[in-house]
Amino acid sequence: MEFCDLRNEISKIYPDFDDEKLNSIIQKFQVYADFLISENKKYNLTSITEIKDIISKHFYDSISVLKIKKFSKEKIMDLGTGGGFPGIPLKILCEDIDLYLCEPTKKKCLFLEKVIELLNLKKVTILNKRAEELGKKYVNYFDFIVTRAVSQLNILLELSIPYLKIKGQLIAYKSLKYEEEITNSKHALKELSSNIIGIENVVFENNTRNLVFIQKNKSTKHIYPRNYSEISKKPL
Ligand code: SAH
């Protein structure tokens, strides 16, 4: 995928964006790609280093959710954002979201700070913590939590559901193994009073992205999230 293909895809998702708007969006993605490539060695951010793969596997993959659901003004957390995926590409397209990037690795957070400055993004907060250590302030706080390539769904549920508002949604970017992960998450879903409300497959080039949408139905028991050693020793 090239930048012109990305531009084309974005104009299909947002037919009302004019040329000026599309140009400014693509320019942001170009600056982001250049910076990602130049800083990657220092921060160990991604194994994807070819520009065409960055465009398809990071940028287009990150925004694929917008084919299903558009965001505006919501509080959204990207859990385990790493080099900013999917959170930053979503912010480039949905300027008025209130974005929180949760990432425990300090050096990745330093990279994210520079990206935010470079792209002049507003209303982005970096949370340099593990999700299970975010604390009470963020319980029942987010409308959406997005997450890609962080952990198995049953673990992700414990790391995310407590922080969602009631009726808020976790959107997990999953690979083909999502069915097995869902089967292994039955107990976690029940224990966390949440359920799967949709699964969408977005196909691009040779990839299929499976987006699993999970809704929180009730307040979470106060014991969750437990600390990481308990979560990993006895996953829900
Ligand atoms: N989402 C990015 C990065 C995936 S790598 C992408 O798709 O490219 C997984 C990231 O999750 C790492 O940066 C790691 O530091 C972070 N992570 C691992 N455990 C976490 C936890 N418990 N809470 C928050 N982030 C976590």
Side-chain angles (χ1 to χ4, degrees):
M1 194 178 255
E2 315 260 337
F3 280 113
C4 56
D5 304 314
L6 181 67
R7 185 190 161 110
N8 219 352
E9 292 298 330
I10 294 169
S11 72
K12 277 193 232 157
I13 300 174
Y14 288 102
D16 52 328
F17 281 3
D18 61 16
D19 276 354
E20 198 186 331
K21 175 99 183 167
L22 289 168
N23 290 347
S24 114
I25 287 170
I26 291 301
Q27 203 210 341
K28 286 196 168 117
F29 279 117
Q30 283 168 334
V31 171
Y32 188 11
D34 286 347
F35 193 60
L36 190 67
I37 291 169
S38 75
E39 301 289 279
N40 191 32
K41 285 209 182 80
K42 205 183 325 174
Y43 298 100
N44 193 18
L45 300 157
T46 177
S47 56
I48 299 171
T49 51
E50 294 271 323
I51 185 86
K52 63 176 184 2
D53 295 332
I54 290 178
I55 297 169
S56 63
K57 296 191 180 136
H58 281 325
F59 297 164
Y60 182 69
D61 185 39
S62 291
I63 66 168
S64 59
V65 67
L66 300 173
K67 290 191 155 188
I68 321 291
K69 166 87 192 101
K70 308 246 183 335
F71 302 111
S72 158
K73 305 216 167 108
E74 294 97 340
K75 275 195 164 56
I76 303 181
M77 175 163 75
D78 181 2
L79 193 166
T81 189
F85 306 108
I88 295 206
L90 290 175
K91 178 71 186 173
I92 292 174
L93 291 189
C94 311
E95 281 178 319
D96 55 0
I97 59 173
D98 202 356
L99 180 67
Y100 292 73
L101 300 171
C102 171
E103 174 51 55
T105 309
K106 179 80 189 159
K107 63 176 188 172
K108 292 185 182 175
C109 291
L110 289 174
F111 170 82
L112 294 167
E113 252 173 49
K114 292 187 196 162
V115 172
I116 291 164
E117 202 187 305
L118 211 56
L119 303 184
N120 195 21
L121 302 175
K122 308 291 177 213
K123 290 207 295 178
V124 184
T125 308
I126 297 175
L127 302 169
N128 183 196
K129 285 189 176 160
R130 300 185 66 89
E132 65 275 22
E133 289 165 2
L134 287 176
K136 283 205 169 55
K137 179 178 173 195
Y138 293 103
V139 168
N140 296 324
Y141 195 82
F142 298 103
D143 298 291
F144 292 94
I145 296 177
V146 292
T147 185
R148 187 183 81 162
V150 175
S151 69
Q152 296 284 309
L153 187 62
N154 59 331
I155 291 181
L156 276 180
L157 288 166
E158 181 166 352
L159 297 180
S160 62
I161 298 290
Y163 303 116
L164 285 169
K165 294 176 185 171
I166 292 167
K167 301 290 170 200
Q169 291 175 25
L170 168 68
I171 304 175
Y173 286 56
K174 287 292 172 193
S175 66
L176 283 173
K177 282 200 184 148
Y178 72 95
E179 283 173 331
E180 190 184 324
E181 288 193 43
I182 290 174
T183 310
N184 293 335
S185 298
K186 294 251 150 69
H187 177 247
L189 286 164
K190 188 154 177 260
E191 184 65 9
L192 298 161
S193 305
S194 49
N195 68 298
I196 295 173
I197 55 166
I199 299 166
E200 301 282 348
N201 315 108
V202 182
V203 181
F204 59 104
E205 295 182 339
N206 299 323
N207 306 300
T208 301
R209 171 56 70 200
N210 300 287
L211 298 165
V212 184
F213 293 74
I214 295 136
Q215 181 171 276
K216 169 170 173 171
N217 297 317
K218 279 192 215 159
S219 294
T220 313
K221 292 180 189 167
H222 295 308
I223 52 167
Y224 300 120
R226 296 165 295 161
N227 64 45
Y228 199 75
S229 71
E230 285 175 81
I231 296 176
S232 49
K233 255 188 274 158
K234 271 191 108 191
L236 288 177

